[in-house]
Amino acid sequence: MTELLAPGATLERLFTGAVWAEGPVWIPQERVVRWSDIPNDRILAFDATTGTTRVHREHVEYTNGRTLDREGRVVQCSQGRRSVEREIDGEPVTIVDRWEGGRFNSPNDVVVASDGTIWFTDPPYGILESGREGHPGEQEYGGCYVFRLDERTGEVRPVVTELERPNGIAFSPDESVLYVSDTSETTPAIHAYDVDVARGEVSGGRVFATVEPPASDGFRVDVEGRVWTSSGDSVQVLAPDGALLLRVPVPEVVANVCFGGEDGHDLYVTATTSLYRIRTATTAAPRPAPPA
Ligand code: MG
């Protein structure tokens, strides 16, 4: 089997001091990992050049997962605004916050496809009574769906409706498979779907893998189609057939991961109070070219 980690790679702790760290993304032009500290309602930024972490923004309405769009701009979920937003000149601009008149629950994680469509999960964690990760509120459309937004037409469409707590989301390298985790307490699993990105059609749902201990809160797919996912006590690497290839123990409960670094080989890990990094022997899957 090909090696998954760089020779001698060890897990480094880069920052500690968050309450619940989530939603990392690598921003190449800044050489920064930006992530959410959800209960503290702030966004943090680790500068890979200086090795230091700063507060990027505070009072951010409980952002969670984020990604980059086709132009390299940050697209992120706000559990407090119950929206998906884009950061433009340092300010959040709402992209979408409702479907058929009902507000979303609390968008959790997001991915942008090669054609620019935005796919995101909408569990209710941000509107629970605790108010720890948002503002207590009602579920307005009555479900917890995965949505696809086409900004060119403005169409918002539910694409996955049968999961209890849809959470992490990613495409396979060729965008033929959509992975969505369900972080429900009773049936946690990563589900796989056959997907037609351009048509926004999803079919053939099946359980791709379950990780032990749960849950697969967030994950990224590498260039070989392997899924690098959080689990309760580690990062686990799953083959495209769902087989467990590697387990990297982490001393805190892991929420999410992203690839980054100059050559894309670094895996950044948000885990409860801390940001970690480990050197891998692979990189994130490049997005396919947009359709002609
Ligand atoms: Mg999540």
Side-chain angles (χ1 to χ4, degrees):
M1 190 185 77
T2 51
E3 291 300 323
L4 294 168
L5 297 178
T10 56
L11 188 74
E12 304 170 75
R13 185 158 75 179
L14 303 172
F15 171 84
T16 192
V19 172
W20 181 244
E22 244 283 17
V25 74
W26 171 257
I27 303 174
Q29 59 274 31
E30 299 178 24
R31 304 192 71 247
V32 153
V33 176
R34 197 180 289 176
W35 80 96
S36 300
D37 177 5
I38 304 175
N40 279 327
D41 195 19
R42 61 182 182 170
I43 300 171
L44 299 174
F46 170 77
D47 186 325
T49 306
T50 63
T52 58
T53 292
R54 64 177 184 273
V55 176
H56 172 67
R57 295 178 65 86
E58 294 181 288
H59 311 299
V60 294
E61 285 300 338
Y62 305 95
T63 66
N64 193 335
R66 53 179 56 73
T67 190
L68 300 181
D69 68 12
R70 298 288 316 173
E71 288 74 47
R73 300 171 296 189
V74 172
V75 171
Q76 66 196 9
C77 299
S78 164
Q79 299 187 162
R81 274 187 280 269
R82 304 173 68 157
S83 68
V84 177
E85 60 193 27
R86 179 178 279 116
E87 198 174 295
I88 297 176
D89 298 329
E91 294 297 326
V93 177
T94 296
I95 300 170
V96 64
D97 63 0
R98 62 192 63 230
W99 170 62
E100 291 193 342
R103 287 188 297 168
F104 299 130
N105 302 318
S106 52
N108 188 293
D109 218 339
V110 58
V111 66
V112 175
S114 59
D115 66 353
T117 51
I118 297 172
W119 302 60
F120 59 95
T121 58
D122 190 35
Y125 297 113
I127 55 173
L128 300 179
E129 277 308 308
S130 70
R132 185 173 178 266
E133 295 199 1
H135 307 292
E138 300 297 318
Q139 291 185 229
E140 297 191 3
Y141 64 84
C144 293
Y145 297 167
V146 180
F147 290 96
R148 167 192 182 269
L149 168 68
D150 186 339
E151 286 187 283
R152 293 164 301 192
T153 63
E155 183 202 23
V156 185
R157 167 194 299 204
V159 288
V160 176
T161 58
E162 81 273 17
L163 301 183
E164 200 177 317
R165 296 285 183 267
N167 198 324
I169 185 166
F171 289 106
S172 64
D174 64 0
E175 291 185 340
S176 67
V177 179
L178 175 70
Y179 297 103
V180 182
S181 64
D182 187 337
T183 51
S184 85
E185 291 189 9
T186 49
T187 54
I190 301 177
H191 295 252
Y193 299 86
D194 301 318
V195 59
D196 183 328
V197 163
R199 292 175 179 272
E201 291 174 359
V202 163
S203 61
R206 65 269 184 191
V207 172
F208 167 70
T210 55
V211 298
E212 196 55 47
S216 293
D217 190 336
F219 45 84
R220 292 291 201 273
V221 175
D222 73 20
V223 66
E224 303 292 338
R226 295 168 297 221
V227 177
W228 295 64
T229 179
S230 69
S231 83
D233 63 358
S234 59
V235 173
Q236 298 191 14
V237 185
L238 307 172
D241 67 0
L244 177 62
L245 300 175
L246 176 73
R247 188 178 159 274
V248 181
V250 178
E252 300 180 75
V253 173
V254 181
N256 215 328
V257 303
C258 73
F259 287 97
E262 208 68 62
D263 56 8
H265 286 271
D266 294 328
L267 188 78
Y268 287 90
V269 179
T270 50
T272 313
T273 69
S274 303
L275 180 73
Y276 296 86
R277 176 173 63 192
I278 192 163
R279 187 99 181 121
T280 78
T282 187
T283 62
R287 260 189 293 230

